[in-house]
Amino acid sequence: MKARRTILLVAVLVAALAAAGIFLYTTGFFQHLSSPEDMAAYIDGFSPFGQILFFLLQLLSVIVAPIPSNLSAAAGAMLFGMWETFALTFSAVLLGSMIVFLLARQLGRPFADRFVGRHVSEKYLDIIQRKQDPFLVLVFLMPFFPDDIICILAGLTTVPTRRFFLIALFTRPWGLLVSCAVGSATVAIPWWGMVLIGLAAAAVFVVGMKYGDVLEARLLQRFGKEGDKKEGPPAEA
C-alpha cells in the first residue's frame, strides 16, 4: 500500500511540474525574468486572473526554484500593492515549504536526492537533524542559505511537522515583506536615502558573493564542533 501511494505521489508531482513548465515556456515566462517590470507585464497579461497566476508562480518558486521569489514579489507589488502581494507571496511560500517538507517525509531520501542532490544532502542533513530549531531559524533568516532546499531536507529529519510550520511561519516572511514594500513604492525614501541604501545593498551583495560561502562553512563547522563536544568521547567497554 505504501509503495503504491509513493508511486502515485511521484506521478502526480511529475505531471504537475511538467504541465507547469510547459505552460510557462509556451507563454513566454522565461523571457520576462530580466527585471520586475518585465515580470509585472507578463503577470498583467493574464488579468483578471493575475493574482491566481502570481500565487502559482510564488508556489513554484519554492518547489522548483528557478523562479526568484523576491523578484516576482517586487513585480507583484507593482500590480497589486504591498499588502495584497505580501499576503499572496507569503501564503504561497509557506504552502510550498510545507509541501516539499511533507513530500520529503513521505517519499524519503530518493526524493530529496533527486531535487537537492546527494552532495548537498550530505552537507546539511546531519546538522539539521542534530541542531534542528536553532539551525532552521538561522537558515531562514540569513540570505545566503538555500532555504528552499533546507525545507526538503528538514522533512527527512525528526523535526515535528507542527514545529517546522511555526518556524517557517515566523522566520520566512521578512525578506518577502521588504521586496513587496519596495516594489509597491509604499516606502517613501528621499534621494539621499536611496543612495545610501543602494551603496549598502551593493556592499552586502559584494560581501555575500565573496564571503557567503566562507560564512556558511564557518557556521556549519561551528555547529558540527558543538555537536561533537556534546556527544563526547565513546564510552570504554
Side-chain angles (χ1 to χ4, degrees), residues 28-46:
F29 170 76
F30 296 104
Q31 285 73 48
H32 291 79
L33 289 176
S34 58
S35 68
E37 291 79 9
D38 283 347
M39 189 176 290
Y42 171 83
I43 297 171
D44 193 42
F46 290 86

Side-chain angles (χ1 to χ4, degrees), residues 204-223:
V204 170
F205 177 78
V206 171
V207 171
M209 292 295 291
K210 190 171 183 178
Y211 300 108
D213 292 340
V214 176
L215 292 172
E216 179 184 359
R218 287 183 178 178
L219 287 170
L220 290 171
Q221 184 180 19
R222 180 177 179 182
F223 275 114

Side-chain angles (χ1 to χ4, degrees), residues 171-187:
T171 56
R172 299 214 68 182
W174 307 112
L176 300 173
L177 182 61
V178 172
S179 298
C180 294
V182 172
S184 65
T186 299
V187 179

Side-chain angles (χ1 to χ4, degrees), residues 188-198:
I189 303 174
W191 68 268
W192 54 266
M194 292 297 295
V195 171
L196 292 177
I197 291 174

Side-chain angles (χ1 to χ4, degrees), residues 12 19 38 42 75 80-81 87 96 103 113 117 142 150-151 154 157 159 167-168 170 179 198 213 216:
V12 170
D38 283 347
Y42 171 83
F80 313 125
L103 281 173
D113 286 346
M142 289 195 171
I150 298 299
C151 291
T157 69
V159 176
I167 291 173
F170 289 109
S179 298
D213 292 340
E216 179 184 359

Side-chain angles (χ1 to χ4, degrees), residues 93-177:
V93 168
L94 187 61
L95 177 60
S97 300
M98 295 307 302
I99 287 175
V100 295
F101 175 87
L102 293 172
L103 281 173
R105 179 146 294 180
Q106 179 66 36
L107 301 178
R109 187 69 180 265
F111 166 79
D113 286 346
R114 185 171 295 275
F115 273 79
V116 175
R118 171 71 63 169
H119 174 72
V120 176
S121 295
E122 292 175 349
K123 183 178 181 180
Y124 290 107
L125 189 56
D126 179 62
I127 294 176
I128 298 173
Q129 176 62 50
R130 286 191 289 106
K131 306 306 296 186
Q132 296 199 0
D133 297 9
F135 187 75
L136 289 175
V137 170
L138 180 68
V139 165
F140 291 154
L141 289 177
M142 289 195 171
F144 53 81
F145 274 101
D147 45 3
D148 294 334
I149 289 175
I150 298 299
C151 291
I152 298 175
L153 296 178
L156 302 178
T157 69
T158 58
V159 176
T161 301
R162 181 179 179 184
R163 187 187 304 167
F164 176 81
F165 172 79
L166 291 175
I167 291 173
L169 177 67
F170 289 109
T171 56
R172 299 214 68 182
W174 307 112
L176 300 173
L177 182 61

